Amino acid sequence: MAFRRVVVTGLGVISALGPDTAAFRQALQAGRSGIGELEGFSAEGLSVKVAAQVRDYDPARHFDCKRLDLLDRFSQFALVAAREAVTHAGLEVAGDRAGVVLGTGMAGQTTEDETYFGLYAHNQKRFSPFVIPRTMANAASSQVTMEFGITGPGLTVSTACAAATHAAGLAFGMIRSGQVDAALAGGSEAPFCLGSLRGWEGVRVMAPDTCRPFCFDRRGMVLGEGAGVVVLEAEERARARGAPIYAELAGFGMSSDAGHITQPSEDGPARAMQAALRDASLSPEAVGYINAHGTGTNANDLTETRAIRRIFGDHAGRLAVSSTKSMHGHALGASGGLELVATVLALHHGVLPPTANFTRPGEGCDLDYVPNEARRAQVDAALSNSFAFGGLNAVLCLKRWA
Amino acid sequence: MDLAQRVIAVIAKTQHLDAAKITVDSSYEELGIDSLDGVNILFALENELDISIPDEAAKQIRGVRHTVEGVEKLLAEKAAGAA
């Protein structure tokens, strides 16, 4: 059976860079970071001081109060981004020929945190029946199916920092094989609650200043939040209806490190990139840009650089690699969605987003990281890398639609 | 405030409805209250009146009057228990 081609026809984003895709694109092209002082937490001794939070967000502008009772912040973000993507695509998605595949790492942890505070601190005896439906990992995906009347496959992928990339890859496979004609794919995350912040603090990977991927003075990651959702569609159907086509999603690769629960490896990411290229039937030389996982931790940035060198050989010196986490932060299960949109925008507009906050390259970080300033460049193919804690790796391969 | 009014106030608050539009004769169906909303109303009533509504009783509630009567009975039992 011949595989169908899959294209991206709608983009939706809510992030620290603003409320929609236009604001996201503007910030990426200006190299403007959304990282700022952590707001809303005054816990004594909390070492996490900076964050990439969604600011000036009023849920009541998006949802009526009855609906909000059932929506944790991570579901709200998913719905906001999904609405934008569907509007962009101008697609009627209702029915069983469309699916929803969304990623999340922490799901409704804010709701959980508030609830358990009532239990442990105040000996609260009764809980709202909304706690479970708000908290469950599939809440966002379910809410999106309900919003649009999508009755085809719906599922949630939870692979930490790679969740949205895995989600988009699975949706891609479903369209390619003919299971559905279109899908909403991406991820959402709202990890800002005290319990989660303390947990991240405990891992000792949080930067106290800002996120400087691949730099000599990088001090770790900066937590972000939001959602990135795209509309994926079978190419022949998108063309038939005259849809806007932003890029082709041409390949997907996955691998597991089978190594350590937090330490990344060079081998797993390399194999995932290779698998994505093979899936897209592309040679490494065809790739002009990589949206790196680029968390800003010591371990990731070095192993990712080495993995890129291993797969791309001499060509590694000629391609551009940037980490947009320097601007939208590390939004965990949403980050792959944000970065997929960033990669699609780069291909579509011919502007590669920079690695912001760049000082000097770190030891062993010897690639072209597009420091601080966006670059005008028409590239034909790009990768979007996501490597999760626990060594579960996912890479998407996109092609410029010409 | 009598008990019916208190129950109506709780329903109005949890359902984001105007209390003036709710009477003891309103059914949950007319008010657009589904089963999960119904459970949420019971949760709010338990907190408001400091009672415990058994799961079995909770399954049978269909309207405002029924809710008020059930709550009344539970309050009476509680008062008897305390006496």
Side-chain angles (χ1 to χ4, degrees):
Chain A
M1 192 188 85
F3 278 147
R4 302 196 295 179
R5 291 171 77 182
V6 177
V7 293
V8 182
T9 58
L11 306 172
V13 169
I14 179 165
S15 74
L17 299 179
D20 55 22
T21 303
F24 186 69
R25 178 186 157 202
Q26 225 167 34
L28 291 181
Q29 293 189 352
R32 183 174 58 74
S33 177
I35 296 169
E37 204 176 309
L38 174 69
E39 284 176 8
F41 297 89
S42 53
E44 210 177 305
L46 191 64
S47 71
V48 179
K49 304 270 191 243
V50 292
Q53 290 169 293
V54 173
R55 289 172 211 272
D56 305 318
Y57 168 72
D58 177 11
R61 278 194 49 230
H62 300 275
F63 309 99
D64 69 47
C65 40
K66 181 120 191 249
R67 181 121 194 247
L68 268 180
D69 284 346
L70 277 160
L71 299 175
D72 181 271
R73 193 169 163 95
F74 95 105
S75 294
Q76 295 173 32
F77 288 159
L79 284 163
V80 169
R83 283 173 180 174
E84 191 196 3
V86 170
T87 305
H88 260 181
L91 179 67
E92 177 48 68
V93 286
D96 64 1
R97 292 302 300 164
V100 175
V101 191
L102 296 179
T104 184
M106 325 279 282
Q109 205 170 57
T110 312
T111 298
E112 205 165 54
D113 191 65
E114 284 166 13
T115 308
Y116 293 172
F117 181 73
L119 176 64
Y120 297 129
H122 300 303
N123 197 24
Q124 192 181 325
K125 292 283 196 297
R126 306 179 184 100
F127 290 103
S128 152
F130 298 157
V131 170
I132 299 298
R134 282 170 64 112
T135 306
M136 60 192 193
N138 63 309
S141 299
S142 297
Q143 292 289 348
V144 170
T145 64
M146 288 152 60
E147 170 94 7
F148 298 104
I150 294 173
T151 55
L155 63 145
T156 293
V157 180
S158 190
T159 47
C161 318
T165 304
H166 273 121
L170 292 182
F172 164 63
M174 280 160 44
I175 297 170
R176 192 160 63 159
S177 69
Q179 221 171 344
V180 291
D181 296 325
L184 293 183
S188 69
E189 201 78 81
F192 290 102
C193 58
L194 192 54
S196 150
L197 285 169
R198 285 290 190 196
W200 280 106
E201 198 176 76
V203 191
R204 295 178 188 268
V205 290
M206 305 296 278
D209 49 357
T210 190
C211 178
R212 301 185 194 284
F214 305 107
C215 294
F216 83 103
D217 53 352
R218 67 184 183 276
R219 296 179 70 183
M221 54 180 262
V222 171
L223 209 54
E225 64 175 346
V229 176
V230 300
V231 174
L232 300 178
E233 213 175 331
E235 177 246 1
E236 78 273 8
R237 303 204 26 133
R239 280 221 293 213
R241 71 178 186 89
I245 295 179
Y246 296 97
E248 178 179 1
L249 181 45
F252 176 47
M254 294 184 267
S255 70
S256 305
D257 293 350
H260 190 273
I261 197 68
T262 58
Q263 275 300 314
S265 82
E266 179 186 326
D267 183 59
R271 285 185 294 106
M273 283 188 272
Q274 194 163 47
L277 289 172
R278 198 181 300 134
D279 193 41
S281 303
L282 278 183
S283 70
E285 289 71 31
V287 174
Y289 171 64
I290 298 177
N291 188 298
H293 186 55
T295 53
T297 62
N298 259 326
N300 174 82
D301 295 0
L302 189 59
T303 53
E304 185 170 11
T305 296
R306 286 180 179 154
I308 290 170
R309 283 235 167 254
R310 190 199 287 191
I311 297 307
F312 290 89
D314 286 346
H315 185 65
R318 290 189 290 273
L319 54 79
V321 177
S322 72
S323 168
T324 48
K325 286 189 177 78
S326 56
M327 293 175 272
H328 53 64
H330 192 349
L332 309 175
S335 61
L338 299 176
E339 290 156 24
L340 169 56
V341 173
T343 308
V344 169
L345 290 171
L347 288 167
H348 184 66
H349 295 287
V351 180
L352 308 182
T355 303
N357 312 316
F358 204 89
T359 51
R360 274 191 289 120
E363 201 184 325
C365 295
D366 53 1
L367 300 170
D368 171 8
Y369 299 110
V370 197
N372 297 321
E373 277 182 34
R375 183 182 303 162
R376 211 159 257 297
Q378 198 180 71
V379 303
D380 293 324
L383 298 185
S384 180
N385 284 350
S386 297
F387 312 134
F389 258 13
L392 309 183
N393 310 299
V395 175
L396 294 166
C397 179
L398 291 118
K399 281 160 71 174
R400 186 165 64 87
W401 186 258
Chain B
M1 203 192 313
D2 73 5
L3 185 62
Q5 279 176 314
R6 278 179 84 179
V7 170
I8 286 171
V10 166
I11 293 173
K13 183 157 182 255
T14 58
Q15 301 309 303
H16 309 285
L17 292 171
D18 180 357
K21 295 195 174 130
I22 307 173
T23 74
V24 283
D25 295 319
S26 309
S27 73
Y28 280 2
E29 199 184 347
E30 304 166 355
L31 296 173
I33 294 169
D34 66 21
S35 62
L36 182 60
D37 293 331
V39 175
N40 191 41
I41 290 168
L42 299 183
F43 158 72
L45 285 169
E46 285 183 325
N47 285 331
E48 167 81 12
L49 303 166
D50 193 24
I51 51 173
S52 238
I53 302 170
D55 288 357
E56 275 312 305
K59 281 178 195 150
Q60 294 157 17
I61 293 174
R62 297 281 177 273
V64 179
R65 186 181 300 280
H66 198 177
T67 309
V68 175
E69 284 168 5
V71 164
E72 205 162 24
K73 197 167 146 235
L74 287 169
L75 284 171
E77 283 170 17
K78 187 180 153 199

